[in-house]
Every structure is written in C-alpha cells, then in structure tokens.
Amino acid sequence: MADETIMTTGIAAHGASRLPWVEIDSFNLELKDEEGFLGDRASKGAFRETLEEWRKPLRKSGDDPFGKELSENISKKELDAILVGDDTEASAVVHSTIEDFAQELAHVTRRFLKTKAWDKTERIVVGGGFRDSRLGELAIARAEIVLKAENFKVEMVPIHRHPDDAGLIGALHLAPSWIFEAHDSILAVDIGGTNIRCGVVETRRKKAPDLSRACVWKFELWRHADDEPTRENAVKRLVKMLKDLIAKAEDEGFKLAPFIGVACPGVIESDGTIRKGAQNLPGNWESSKFNLPASLVEAIPRIGEHDTAVIMHNDGLVQGLSEVPFMQDVKRWGVLTIGTGLGNARFTNRNGKRER
C-alpha cells in the first residue's frame, strides 16, 4: 500500500492505509498452506462440511437426527434451537461441529497472529453472517479459549452490531469528521457476492460524538445473485437504490452528507479500481476500465447542494470499522469476517484522536 494515503482535499484515497481513526496495517491477507487458502478452513462452507462429516456415521446406521435434510440447507436458527432442545443426539452433533470448527478458527487465527502485520494484536472482532447465531458465538468463545490455553494474549469477541448493519455503519469511518459538522447522515453501500445493500446511516453525533450510537435508518437490499445481471445493469440498479434513498432521506428531513462510503470485496486500489478478489461479483469488476466510484459520481454528481464524494474500501475492513468506537481501550486490533471466505483486517488506533 502506498505511503501517501491522504489526499489534499482531506478525503482519504480509495483503499487507503490511513483513515481518520486508524492506521490499516493489513487487509485481505491471503495465507496458504498445503491444502490451499487458510481462510477457507474457517468459512461458513467449512462449518457445513464439518456438520456433514459428523452426520455421516449416524446416517450409515440410520440414526441421523436430521434425517434427509442437506447440511447446507439447515438454517442457523434451526441449529441454534437444537443446542437447547431435547434431542441430545442432535445437540451432540451440533456441539461436535462447533468444537471442530472452533479448532480450525483458532488454527487460522494463530497463523494470522504470527504474521508481522498482526503482531501484538490485543483483540479480534469476529463478524460476518456466521457470527449472527448462538453457534457462531460459541465457536468464537471456544476459539479464544484454545488460543489463551496456548498463551496467546488476545481477546476474541463477536462484533457488536448485526453484521449487515456493521457493513454499512463502518462506512462512517471512511469519511473525515468535518463532513459531519453540517450533516447528520451518509449513504453507505455494502456489495457482496450474493447481495447489494444500500442504506442511510444516521451519525447520532449529538448523542455520541464517537459515533458509537450510529444506526442504519433505512436500507434497500437486492439479491443480485438471483438475477445474474451484467455489470452495467448491476451499477444501474445500485444507482437507482441510492437515488431512492436520497429522496426518502430528504422527505424525512435528514441533512444527508454529500458522501457515499462503499464496501466491496477485494483489494481496492487508490484510483478506485479493484486489483483482485471481486470474482464473485456480477461481470468483470477487476477490469482496469471499470471504476465504480467514478460511475457513482457520474450518475449522482451532487447530493443536496454539494458535489458528491465517494470512497471505496474492502468489505471486511469496513465491517470492522464499525467497531472503532468500542476499541479505544486497546491499541492494536483486528477483524475476521466469517462468510463465503474469511475477510480480515488489522488496525492500529491513532491515539484516539480523529483527524479533522
């Protein structure tokens, strides 16, 4: 990442390594072993594969408590209910799966902690869709115990907010504080391999200047994976969602900032292009000729009376940024997001002082 990351306008570059509250020591780190990418061992797919392995011997004897239902189709809510239900065999299967997954999560985390970028990490926040469940919380807690038993001095905690909200709220921390002086909300975009989510994020700075009370006022969700759109159509749909939200925010009387924070998979270059990691998005988002921030500014040149500014960064990193207000008691901390893959970022707080 480039050393010069703050532009003369006071707006950070896309994919910047310095933001108003934090220095970004690492993000989207891809660690490998002989079996491939380490992150794949602690993904939601890996959890389902582990569940399937525990069901196999029971299925052979005709005692599978889940019957013929595919492991990938059993919802987190169902699995959570089984943990506290009366079916002890089903509960044992789920607990065994959690234990194995926690061991894998601890193994992957251990490898991160041994890298130079993650050295001296004091706390790790775990987000992603898997965290939004009791089984996810148990796996996180168990992984922390495993690491502490090995004398790793690190906390592992679930992300404070719902992961979907965190992916939008984190965009606040891409913006310079001066942009909030006359505005009480921003537009945020969270782009994933399955969904595109847009929202109006309230700062609530009067209640909490550190943005700890920020919330998503309204959002729109499009499950683009069902529609299989072209890249161009995906951008058009995204623009329409944003314009709809602008209109609703104005009708409600919000003072919407002329700023759009975008969270997107992959390695984001300072010019707004995506170097790698966007293979699950509709169409080719890694083309040097495609620039999403520029496309958004062209389609929405002004918000209110001011020119629109757009900043884009990695999606796992942005989800982690939602935790900035809650991490001021440590210096070095990281985020792991358990989803299709394992998003990751490591931060160093900038002495608790937000750059203006």
Side-chain angles (χ1 to χ4, degrees):
M1 286 176 278
D3 292 332
E4 187 59 43
T5 56
I6 295 292
M7 302 173 72
T8 54
T9 58
I11 299 284
H14 306 292
S17 58
R18 168 181 277 200
L19 292 172
W21 276 102
V22 295
E23 301 279 354
I24 299 167
D25 306 306
S26 168
F27 74 91
N28 207 51
L29 188 61
E30 296 179 333
L31 300 179
K32 293 183 179 181
D33 61 11
E34 61 280 358
E35 297 178 16
F37 289 109
L38 268 179
D40 292 340
R41 295 173 59 170
S43 65
K44 63 181 182 182
F47 181 86
R48 299 294 173 169
E49 289 171 9
T50 304
L51 175 60
E52 181 66 20
E53 286 302 310
W54 277 105
R55 290 177 63 191
K56 279 181 181 177
L58 297 175
R59 194 178 295 132
K60 286 179 182 178
S61 61
D63 295 325
D64 184 353
F66 298 97
K68 294 183 178 180
E69 191 169 10
L70 297 175
S71 294
E72 62 194 53
N73 293 337
I74 304 172
S75 70
K76 290 179 292 186
K77 186 176 287 189
E78 286 179 78
L79 294 172
D80 280 352
I82 285 166
L83 286 173
V84 295
D86 296 329
D87 189 334
T88 54
E89 192 164 60
S91 181
V93 169
V94 178
H95 275 289
S96 299
T97 303
I98 291 170
E99 174 62 23
D100 283 1
F101 183 83
Q103 293 287 345
E104 290 291 350
L105 179 59
H107 172 70
V108 173
T109 304
R110 191 183 303 119
R111 284 286 304 275
F112 274 104
L113 293 171
K114 288 182 177 179
T115 64
K116 184 177 180 181
W118 281 67
D119 187 35
K120 298 179 181 177
T121 299
E122 298 161 75
R123 186 177 298 149
I124 297 173
V125 178
V126 184
F130 184 72
R131 172 263 177 268
D132 184 35
S133 61
R134 181 62 178 164
L135 53 100
E137 292 176 348
L138 287 171
I140 294 164
R142 179 67 182 125
E144 179 190 45
I145 291 170
V146 171
L147 290 168
K148 285 186 172 177
E150 298 171 0
N151 293 318
F152 282 92
K153 294 179 173 61
V154 65
E155 294 177 74
M156 292 188 76
V157 296
I159 202 163
H160 277 77
R161 296 180 169 94
H162 188 285
D164 290 342
D165 287 350
L168 297 175
I169 291 170
L172 288 170
H173 298 278
L174 297 175
S177 61
W178 57 258
I179 213 164
F180 301 129
E181 296 298 332
H183 304 94
D184 57 14
S185 52
I186 69 163
L187 289 170
V189 179
D190 187 7
I191 300 169
T194 303
N195 301 315
I196 292 179
R197 185 183 300 269
C198 304
V200 174
V201 179
E202 288 186 70
T203 65
R204 294 190 175 182
R205 285 179 76 236
K206 291 182 180 179
K207 293 184 178 180
D210 65 356
L211 303 178
S212 61
R213 299 289 295 277
C215 69
V216 178
W217 170 67
K218 194 174 287 292
F219 72 89
E220 292 198 10
L221 173 69
W222 172 37
R223 189 177 167 87
H224 65 78
D226 293 340
D227 298 341
E228 299 183 358
T230 63
R231 185 184 69 196
E232 289 69 25
N233 285 338
V235 173
K236 285 181 182 178
R237 179 70 177 268
L238 170 56
V239 168
K240 183 181 185 304
M241 292 164 72
L242 288 169
K243 287 183 174 179
D244 288 347
L245 286 168
I246 291 170
K248 289 174 182 175
E250 289 175 349
D251 288 345
E252 193 67 23
F254 280 105
K255 297 175 182 177
L256 196 59
F259 178 87
I260 305 173
V262 181
C264 187
V267 178
I268 314 301
E269 299 284 23
S270 60
D271 64 355
T273 55
I274 305 172
R275 175 152 46 98
K276 62 176 181 176
Q279 63 273 6
N280 293 324
L281 302 183
N284 179 14
W285 288 52
E286 297 175 17
S287 168
S288 59
K289 297 178 181 178
F290 176 64
N291 189 299
L292 179 62
S295 297
L296 293 179
V297 169
E298 183 179 355
I300 308 174
R302 294 172 72 83
I303 297 175
E305 299 177 358
H306 301 281
D307 293 341
T308 303
V310 178
I311 293 294
M312 186 164 80
H313 220 310
N314 173 264
D315 57 343
L317 180 149
V318 173
Q319 191 175 137
L321 289 175
S322 70
E323 287 290 301
V324 164
F326 312 109
M327 294 295 129
Q328 296 307 301
D329 59 328
V330 295
K331 185 171 180 61
R332 302 174 186 87
W333 56 284
V335 62
L336 297 175
T337 58
I338 301 172
T340 307
L342 187 71
N344 60 85
R346 217 296 287 262
F347 307 98
T348 298
N349 286 335
R350 302 185 61 206
N351 301 318
K353 296 177 181 178
R354 185 177 175 93
E355 186 171 282
R356 297 182 66 85

